[in-house]
Amino acid sequence: MTRQERMKNKPYQRELRRLHGELVAMQEWVKASGAKICILFEGRDTAGKGGTIKAITERVSPRVFRVVALPAPTERERSQMYLQRYVPHLPGAGDVVIFDRSWYNRAGVERVMDFCTEQQTHDFLQAAPGVERAIVDSGVILLKYWLEVSREEQTRRLESRINDPRKVWKLSDLDLRSYARWYDYSRARDAMFRATDTAWAPWYVADTDDKKRGRLNIISHLLSRVPYLPLPPSDVTLPKGQKAGGYREPDVSVRRVPTPF
């Protein structure tokens, strides 16, 4: 099979603009219907989770679309049932919640980097399908995406972070340690799929070596899984502007932003 040419920016922006309109229509349906949507993004480092989430959320309301990216657990959270700290972030009526990494940390990074025991991973993989069944049974539309990047493309992206001062903040010690464990991650991913790819909460895998195509494919799929209605045609007329009524600009000295551009 021939490798597909990377998507150019112009067709990407054109298609993204159209999909943004559909996401707004979905947002209005979610608000009106009280729907609850939960979207999980998982994948190796550099797979494009952040860029995909940004593409989804850049034209919608943050009051409806909420992104959850939890930090490392506190001591108290470590003493709780593992899934407990994620539950308060689940969507209520009229919410779309996007997890930038989720409870599946336990099946991925925590397992590979020895942040948890094999028994804890086993217990999690046993429990997750039941918890997700309860989430779905409560009326939540649950979508789980795994972003798949090749080893060669991951190497290229990590090297670009090293050499670009705009991206160096994205490069952590953990990224470098994870990079050396490609096949450990592959085994952890495979075990996760085997245990948690269920009829009620299946995994959807998206190839993201071409980030632009990957984002468009994911957004298109997401829209296809939500039974939203298209927006009615816009019929808005601006009201007449107010007359000055004697108003004049005040003679007040203010500090203006410099204009070097």
Side-chain angles (χ1 to χ4, degrees):
M1 183 178 172
T2 351
R3 189 168 180 173
Q4 203 172 17
E5 184 186 352
R6 287 186 189 270
M7 192 172 203
K8 303 292 184 193
N9 195 53
K10 198 170 179 179
Y12 168 69
Q13 291 296 341
R14 183 173 60 245
E15 188 59 22
L16 186 60
R17 180 185 175 90
R18 183 187 71 79
L19 292 174
H20 279 156
E22 295 299 321
L23 284 167
V24 170
M26 186 189 99
Q27 167 184 274
E28 297 309 297
W29 174 80
V30 166
K31 285 160 58 179
S33 66
K36 301 177 285 186
I37 300 176
C38 183
I39 308 166
L40 314 186
F41 283 104
E42 296 291 340
R44 301 176 193 270
D45 296 318
T46 79
K49 296 179 292 296
T52 301
I53 292 168
K54 185 179 176 184
I56 291 170
T57 57
E58 64 182 331
R59 297 292 180 177
V60 290
S61 169
R63 293 182 181 87
V64 179
F65 282 73
R66 183 161 49 89
V67 178
V68 176
L70 297 183
T74 62
E75 283 302 319
R76 184 174 185 277
E77 286 169 335
R78 286 193 191 96
S79 72
Q80 296 171 344
M81 181 183 77
Y82 177 72
L83 282 152
Q84 187 173 336
R85 76 181 190 128
Y86 293 95
V87 171
H89 300 281
L90 291 172
D95 289 341
V96 179
V97 173
I98 300 174
F99 281 93
D100 183 355
R101 292 201 183 276
S102 64
W103 44 89
Y104 282 102
N105 268 343
R106 174 127 298 180
V109 65
E110 290 189 17
R111 180 181 203 173
V112 172
M113 302 309 296
D114 300 322
F115 295 154
C116 66
T117 65
E118 278 299 311
Q119 185 61 49
Q120 286 172 321
T121 301
H122 174 268
D123 292 346
F124 166 76
L125 291 175
Q126 292 290 306
V131 173
E132 289 171 2
R133 184 62 186 257
I135 292 170
V136 171
D137 286 349
S138 77
V140 173
I141 296 173
L142 178 61
L143 297 169
K144 304 188 306 194
Y145 289 103
W146 174 272
L147 277 57
E148 187 65 42
V149 64
S150 68
R151 197 174 190 183
E152 296 73 24
E153 181 63 14
Q154 186 188 51
T155 301
R156 190 191 69 77
R157 290 178 188 176
L158 285 170
E159 286 174 346
S160 80
R161 290 182 182 183
I162 294 168
N163 300 318
D164 189 336
R166 299 167 302 172
K167 297 177 181 177
V168 72
W169 64 273
K170 292 182 174 183
L171 195 62
S172 69
D173 260 354
L174 189 59
D175 293 335
L176 296 174
R177 288 162 59 202
S178 300
Y179 173 71
R181 298 192 177 188
W182 176 269
Y183 291 107
D184 288 343
Y185 268 101
S186 296
R187 292 183 187 97
R189 176 202 59 198
D190 298 346
M192 180 185 77
F193 285 167
R194 279 194 296 271
T196 63
D197 182 44
T198 58
W200 55 91
W203 280 101
Y204 296 104
V205 178
D207 294 318
T208 57
D209 271 13
D210 184 333
K211 285 184 179 181
K212 293 184 177 70
R213 290 186 195 278
R215 289 169 194 162
L216 297 180
N217 290 335
I218 290 166
I219 296 172
S220 299
H221 182 268
L222 159 63
L223 290 165
S224 77
R225 304 303 299 172
V226 178
Y228 70 97
L229 302 171
L231 284 175
S234 179
D235 184 19
V236 178
T237 308
L238 289 176
K240 289 183 179 177
Q242 183 185 33
K243 292 183 179 178
Y247 175 79
R248 292 181 182 179
E249 291 289 339
D251 184 15
V252 177
S253 173
V254 293
R255 294 177 178 83
R256 294 199 173 274
V257 174
T259 53
F261 303 105

